[in-house]
Amino acid sequence: MIMKTKYLVESCLLTHGLRSITDGEVIRAWDGVNATFAWIDEGKIQTGCMERFIEFRKRKIKLRVNCKNMDEMLKKRVPGALTAAGTMEACHRLGIPVTVTCGIGGIGNIPGETICSDLPALKNIPVNLVATSPKDMIDVGQTFLWLRERGVKILGYHTDYCTGYVFESMHEKLDGMFETVPFQDKGKKLLLNPIPIEKRIHDNGILEKAVKEAVEAVKKGEYFHPTVNGALDRLTNGRTSEIQLESIVENAKLAGYIAEFK
């Protein structure tokens, strides 16, 4: 199966981030999409179809694994969901050329995350990343500058601007647009497939409230990003979870489309 796999889908968002989305809704959203998901369990990188992944999701594992702590977590044989950076590392180890995610981290004022591991992963790991956008609380100008200075190309699908993730929160020029990207290219490409603006949340005050909740949660030893997603879910009656689920599915479809042109 691994030799035929063209991309892996990260599992943190689907495991931790969609608070009001049921297992059944996740399964239905991926119906007809030939996706492979990645996580760690029993001291190994695990990959599988939706049926295998949903059994992992049902266990409600809280651990988040990135490229920096992966070896430690594998050695400890603890189960964990993979971030974008963790999935890029898994792809590299398994010889798979593309990672699919949704919102990525970057540079900002997030407690304990001055520079998210997604950035050095893009710089160092020879795997392309299909994403939606940097998350709305990120300093996207500084994030893009950091990536460009290290040779990472930032391309948009049918657009050459990044205008935000779940909100319309920024207006940053990209390095160009892409239709298809050859998989033989060895990484250093961030491919953004934005949520249509008409589907986003238009009250940015909701984002401010969610970030404040997450900052307080970090003080209690909790993870920032799942707390933000949980707060956004609650404050929008589940709408942010719905559009993020739809977006990561669309990103997987795009990765599959690109793969046809290898």
Side-chain angles (χ1 to χ4, degrees):
M1 179 182 68
I2 293 303
M3 294 302 293
K4 296 180 181 179
T5 300
K6 302 300 184 183
Y7 63 86
L8 291 179
V9 180
E10 65 108 323
S11 49
C12 269
L13 175 66
L14 297 172
T15 304
H16 306 137
L18 308 177
R19 293 290 177 88
S20 63
I21 302 294
T22 66
D23 292 338
E25 288 170 325
V26 172
I27 292 169
R28 287 191 291 274
W30 290 90
D31 184 43
V33 183
N34 187 25
T36 304
F37 304 85
W39 62 98
I40 67 166
D41 200 6
E42 299 178 348
K44 297 178 182 179
I45 297 169
Q46 304 286 342
T47 65
C49 62
M50 172 53 68
E51 286 74 15
R52 281 201 67 210
F53 168 70
I54 211 71
E55 292 304 314
F56 173 80
R57 187 181 194 261
K58 288 177 179 178
R59 293 160 61 189
K60 302 185 183 302
I61 303 298
K62 293 184 177 181
L63 182 66
R64 296 166 59 86
V65 180
N66 58 44
C67 56
K68 295 180 179 179
N69 67 353
M70 179 179 287
D71 284 332
E72 178 187 358
M73 297 301 105
L74 289 172
K75 185 176 181 180
K76 291 180 177 179
R77 298 181 64 84
V78 294
L82 294 180
T83 67
T87 310
M88 290 180 73
E89 179 63 24
C91 282
H92 179 45
R93 297 185 188 195
L94 298 173
I96 298 170
V98 172
T99 290
V100 171
T101 188
C102 205
I104 67 166
I107 295 172
N109 296 320
I110 296 172
E113 190 182 283
T114 304
I115 297 180
C116 176
S117 59
D118 293 346
L119 300 194
L122 280 161
K123 170 183 176 288
N124 297 320
I125 300 174
V127 171
N128 293 322
L129 180 63
V130 177
T132 304
S133 167
K135 295 175 183 177
D136 292 293
M137 71 289 296
I138 300 299
D139 185 332
V140 177
Q142 288 300 310
T143 296
F144 285 176
L145 177 63
W146 191 99
L147 290 170
R148 288 177 174 130
E149 288 179 342
R150 290 154 181 84
V152 178
K153 287 287 186 182
I154 311 162
L155 305 173
Y157 188 52
H158 297 324
T159 182
D160 58 356
Y161 277 90
C162 176
T163 59
Y165 177 40
V166 174
F167 297 83
E168 190 174 1
S169 58
M170 60 198 76
H171 192 75
E172 293 289 339
K173 191 78 166 63
L174 306 178
D175 297 327
M177 296 185 287
F178 73 96
E179 294 293 337
T180 62
V181 176
F183 272 29
Q184 60 264 32
D185 287 0
K186 299 301 182 182
K188 292 216 168 186
K189 283 190 176 68
L190 172 59
L191 314 176
L192 300 181
N193 183 28
I195 295 168
I197 289 177
E198 63 270 18
K199 291 187 176 183
R200 299 187 208 173
I201 307 301
H202 299 290
D203 180 359
N204 285 18
I206 292 174
L207 175 64
E208 295 175 9
K209 293 177 183 177
V211 169
K212 287 180 180 178
E213 285 191 30
V215 169
E216 292 304 312
V218 169
K219 295 176 183 177
K220 301 174 184 177
E222 300 174 23
Y223 286 119
F224 180 88
H225 293 293
T227 304
V228 167
N229 268 331
L232 290 175
D233 180 282
R234 187 185 72 252
L235 293 167
T236 63
N237 295 317
R239 180 61 185 151
T240 54
S241 293
E242 293 171 359
I243 60 179
Q244 286 181 91
L245 176 58
E246 181 179 348
S247 182
I248 196 170
V249 172
E250 290 302 313
N251 293 345
K253 291 178 181 178
L254 179 58
Y257 169 73
I258 294 169
E260 296 298 319
F261 292 85
K262 180 179 176 182

